[in-house]
Amino acid sequence: MPRRYTARVTTQQQDAPPIVADDPVYNATYTRREDLSPDLASFWVKMDGPAIPFQAGQYMTIGVKQGERMVQRPYSVASPPSVADTEGYEFYVRKVLGGTFTPLLFDLPVGHRMRIIGPKGKFTLLPDDDRQHIFISSGTGNAPFVAMMRELLIHGTPRPAVMLNGVSYAHELGYVPLLEGWERSGEYPVRFIPTVSRPNDPSNEGWTGRTGRVEAILAPVLDELGLTPDNSIAYICGNPDMIVAAEQTLLDRGYPEDQVHKELYWPKGKEPRGLAAADLASAIEMAEANEDQ
Ligand SMILES: Cc1cc2nc3c(=O)[nH]c(=O)nc-3n(C[C@H](O)[C@H](O)[C@H](O)COP(=O)(O)OP(=O)(O)OC[C@H]3O[C@@H](n4cnc5c(N)ncnc54)[C@H](O)[C@@H]3O)c2cc1C
């Protein structure tokens, strides 16, 4: 008989059935968590048996059963494929206000059982490509790039990269110690260019980096670093509006379509499913946050 308990619930989930603690469909355990902020965290999930192999840039779908229903979502793997057997899969996740799965995930205790399936996705690096790699992301869209760079480093074949990541607030920037460490030491030849879209917000006080959305700083960065279709390839991941805008900038500069690879985290114009249940202030906050991510 599956064990059940009621997880701490958020506004949208008060009437929902409890999360099933153990079930035959579960094939993995959520083993570790690192919080960057109340709404951003890395979660590690380890399979019961040997890990399913994947390529850096691909995603896995993780979920839990709520009552009779499987609640699950796809996440890019942020950890390198080489450590999947020993450490599991790392996912870097934003808690979406009004969302269905992420409020559950953020309330789940470490050690909880889960289901993981995959991998899926074609957002992977081309073989043997020594051009400058322009990695453009909003919010947690940096996850597949972190996996790619980590894996390349493990194989001793790092590729030159320019990593642009846009967030609303500086405290939402993920993997900063890793990326700045690589850049400082030269261990990975990456130029890390974070940007905040709300520079006047008090929480961004003291921010001395770039400002504006990531798609807005793309053109100046291309100019400053001399990046052209002849010497670089672009990968874009995250918010669909950002992806459309960044892609347009690249196409306008002559990048052929097959030199611009994209991974959309949600379809353009889509709102979280639980939004109707969220109050108006939360809904506005969420819509603005999504715009920035
Ligand atoms: C291929 C793929 C890879 C993904 N990888 C990641 C990842 O590595 N990290 C991650 O946080 N999310 C990732 N996502 C998004 C993830 O699958 C879920 O959509 C997200 O966690 C919201 O789930 P939810 O059930 O809480 O919200 P839902 O009720 O499903 O609502 C979805 C809505 O939430 C908003 N939303 C979704 N994702 C985000 C986000 N990351 N930031 C801000 N708003 C968002 C959008 O408005 C979207 O329409 C990925 C999606 C895809 C398709």
Side-chain angles (χ1 to χ4, degrees), residues 12 38 52 69 81 83 88 99 124 167-168 177 188 229 247-248 261 269 279:
Q12 296 80 43
I52 308 169
R69 197 169 61 106
V83 307
T124 52
V167 294
S168 303
Y188 193 105
E247 180 184 28
Q248 196 55 54
H261 299 248
D279 65 32

Side-chain angles (χ1 to χ4, degrees), residues 59 61 73 77 91 93 113 135-136 151 177 191 251 262:
Y59 63 89
T61 296
R73 292 288 182 272
V77 187
F91 303 104
V93 182
R113 302 281 294 147
F135 294 145
I136 305 157
E151 186 67 4
R191 177 85 184 262
L251 297 180
K262 297 165 285 181

Side-chain angles (χ1 to χ4, degrees), residues 59 73-76 92-94 96 98-103 140 143 263-267 270-274 290 293:
Y59 63 89
R73 292 288 182 272
Y75 294 98
S76 306
Y92 178 45
V93 182
R94 163 174 289 274
V96 173
T100 308
F101 178 66
T102 50
T140 54
E263 183 82 298
L264 278 68
Y265 273 3
W266 65 92
K270 190 173 166 252
E271 299 281 286
R273 286 157 206 243
N290 281 359
Q293 293 311 306

Side-chain angles (χ1 to χ4, degrees), residues 54-58 80-81 121-136 143-155 157-163 188 232-236 258-263:
F54 70 100
Q55 286 180 59
Q58 287 190 301
K122 296 181 179 155
F123 193 63
T124 52
L125 295 173
L126 299 181
D128 305 321
D129 186 355
D130 59 5
R131 288 173 287 187
Q132 279 280 348
H133 285 53
I134 313 171
F135 294 145
I136 305 157
F145 304 134
V146 169
M148 289 169 182
M149 288 190 279
R150 282 170 159 170
E151 186 67 4
L152 288 168
L153 209 48
I154 287 172
H155 290 280
T157 54
R159 302 178 183 184
V162 177
M163 168 97 163
Y188 193 105
S232 58
I233 178 163
Y235 294 81
I236 325 175
D258 64 0
Q259 222 165 299
V260 181
H261 299 248
K262 297 165 285 181
E263 183 82 298

Side-chain angles (χ1 to χ4, degrees), residues 228-239:
T228 68
D230 293 332
N231 62 18
S232 58
I233 178 163
Y235 294 81
I236 325 175
C237 182
N239 175 328

